[in-house]
Amino acid sequence: MIERLETKQRMSRIVKHNGTIYLCGQVCADATQGIKEQTATMLDKVEALLEQAGSDKEHMLSATIYIKDMKDFAEMNEVWDNWVPEGHAPARACVEASMARDALLVEISVVAAEK
């Protein structure tokens, strides 16, 4: 069975299927901030969605990070490394990409297992 949460015409924020949780892309709360702040608030949103879906960051399976400019890679990773629980890092890819809005510096898509 497929369960979709917060579904709109274009996408669902959360899709659950056979114990796997898929989150739609998440961006920061305030795009006027720098890369560290954008990354932190983006990850706060991921954490809240995982909790809503019955999971947590220790159950992440994979993460795909889209970064506007690789010059921000090290600063983004500082925030990421402090956020991911030790021993629970997911499979991860990070790619440089154009963003939907010019002010956005980073976006993430996450797949996790249910608790």
Side-chain angles (χ1 to χ4, degrees):
M1 181 172 108
I2 299 172
E3 180 182 1
R4 301 173 198 280
L5 304 172
E6 297 188 41
T7 299
K8 297 188 167 67
Q9 181 178 355
R10 185 170 293 155
M11 67 183 170
S12 298
R13 289 192 69 192
I14 301 167
V15 175
K16 297 168 73 171
H17 181 257
N18 288 339
T20 304
I21 298 162
Y22 304 86
L23 302 184
C24 69
Q26 295 300 304
V27 296
C28 64
D30 181 358
T32 66
Q33 300 293 311
I35 187 66
K36 285 185 175 183
E37 295 83 5
Q38 285 196 27
T39 302
T41 61
M42 171 190 75
L43 294 174
D44 288 345
K45 290 167 75 176
V46 167
E47 197 162 356
L49 286 172
L50 288 173
E51 183 178 325
Q52 179 183 344
S55 189
D56 58 30
K57 57 189 176 180
E58 291 183 358
H59 287 79
M60 287 189 301
L61 302 172
S62 71
T64 304
I65 299 171
Y66 306 92
I67 191 165
K68 183 176 183 177
D69 192 324
M70 280 297 178
K71 73 175 177 50
D72 293 327
F73 185 71
E75 287 185 281
M76 179 276 298
N77 273 328
E78 280 183 51
V79 178
W80 171 265
D81 291 344
N82 288 320
W83 181 77
V84 174
E86 188 173 334
H88 296 279
R92 189 185 104 162
C94 184
V95 297
E96 188 174 78
S98 297
M99 296 292 154
R101 290 183 284 140
D102 195 50
L104 294 172
L105 302 176
V106 64
E107 181 173 350
I108 190 169
S109 180
V110 171
V111 177
E114 288 183 309
K115 285 193 216 180

